[in-house]
Amino acid sequence: MKLDILVFGSHPDDAELGAGATIAKEIANGKKVGIVDLTLGELGTRGSAEIRAKEATDSANILGLSVRENLEFADGFFVNDKEHQLGVIRMLRKYRPETVLCNAIDDRHVDHGRGSKLVSDACYLSGLVKIDTKFDGDDKWQEPWRPKNVYHYIQWKNLQPDFVVDVTGYIEKKTEAILAYSSQFHDPRSKEPETPITSRNFLDSVKYRARDLGRLVGVEYAEGFTVERLVAVDRLGALK
């Protein structure tokens, strides 16, 4: 299956929190979108790997993803080395996306910046013809593939975006997808320990950040992204 957009997240729920409304909008516009989670999020204070896997499936169904996979790297301890790069490369060559979205380049959680660089490096290496890969259970060598675009969504830190996507009309779908992770976010009935993301304020901040970015560009809601290289347009009218 060839995808238009492949979204990577260090943990289940990263993609939804950072780019959930953009994902929902692209799918509504006919794009094939998939998510690859790097880890199971097994070190999370609340829930478990098994619970989060089920929640990730529920969220995928809400968004209408074409596919969701998990590389099962070690939460908190994966590194940007050859072994992990090859794991990401196999996914890139399997789905051959035109665009990749991945973690914030700098963030509170150590896995986010590390996951960002890992995926970014793999996107380049995936285009090199002398790197040989096979997908598990497949005897055929994969063809090289390099995405045209690599964009980084914004997470905990208020990074300055290089561009924003108008997601007016899709913020509720994003919220629904986030709330599929009921073990992780605000629930006054939960007896599990509180974390920085379990407060009502954090959940509200997802929407008010989108509203504020929207305010800056004259729309109701927007999601921000940073880029690694200059973004080209074919005419000035393409810029809003």
Side-chain angles (χ1 to χ4, degrees), residues 77-237:
F77 294 99
F78 71 83
V79 295
N80 184 8
D81 65 2
K82 180 179 179 180
E83 177 185 356
H84 291 82
Q85 289 164 357
L86 286 173
V88 175
I89 288 169
R90 290 186 187 98
M91 288 293 177
L92 292 167
R93 291 177 172 182
K94 179 179 181 180
Y95 293 114
R96 305 171 76 80
E98 302 298 321
T99 297
V100 163
L101 306 181
C102 57
N103 285 98
I105 57 173
D106 177 39
D107 211 44
R108 170 182 165 273
H109 197 301
V110 295
D111 280 352
H112 294 171
R114 187 161 50 206
S116 171
K117 189 67 167 70
L118 167 61
V119 172
S120 175
D121 289 351
C123 284
Y124 175 80
L125 294 170
S126 183
L128 299 181
V129 298
K130 292 185 178 179
I131 295 178
D132 296 325
T133 57
K134 291 181 179 180
F135 203 73
D136 292 344
D138 193 340
D139 291 333
K140 295 172 62 177
W141 293 104
Q142 293 180 308
E143 293 293 324
W145 181 263
R146 184 175 292 147
K148 293 178 181 177
N149 309 299
V150 180
Y151 303 136
H152 302 262
Y153 46 83
I154 295 171
Q155 298 184 259
W156 181 271
K157 292 185 178 181
N158 287 323
L159 304 183
Q160 178 67 37
D162 293 314
F163 71 91
V164 300
V165 175
D166 177 3
V167 293
T168 304
Y170 296 93
I171 200 70
E172 297 307 326
K173 179 68 73 174
K174 169 176 179 160
T175 302
E176 185 182 357
I178 291 170
L179 291 177
Y181 296 91
S182 57
S183 70
Q184 300 301 303
F185 299 108
H186 179 68
D187 182 354
R189 301 166 298 177
S190 176
K191 302 300 182 185
E192 293 201 75
E194 294 297 316
T195 75
I197 65 172
T198 59
S199 70
R200 182 76 233 183
N201 184 43
F202 173 79
L203 202 57
D204 290 344
S205 75
V206 174
K207 183 174 286 189
Y208 63 64
R209 171 190 275 169
R211 186 181 290 278
D212 191 51
L213 286 175
R215 174 187 64 83
L216 294 173
V217 295
V219 300
E220 189 173 3
Y221 292 107
E223 285 181 329
F225 298 86
T226 64
V227 302
E228 300 185 5
R229 60 183 178 86
L230 289 176
V231 176
V233 296
D234 61 359
R235 56 189 177 81
L236 290 177

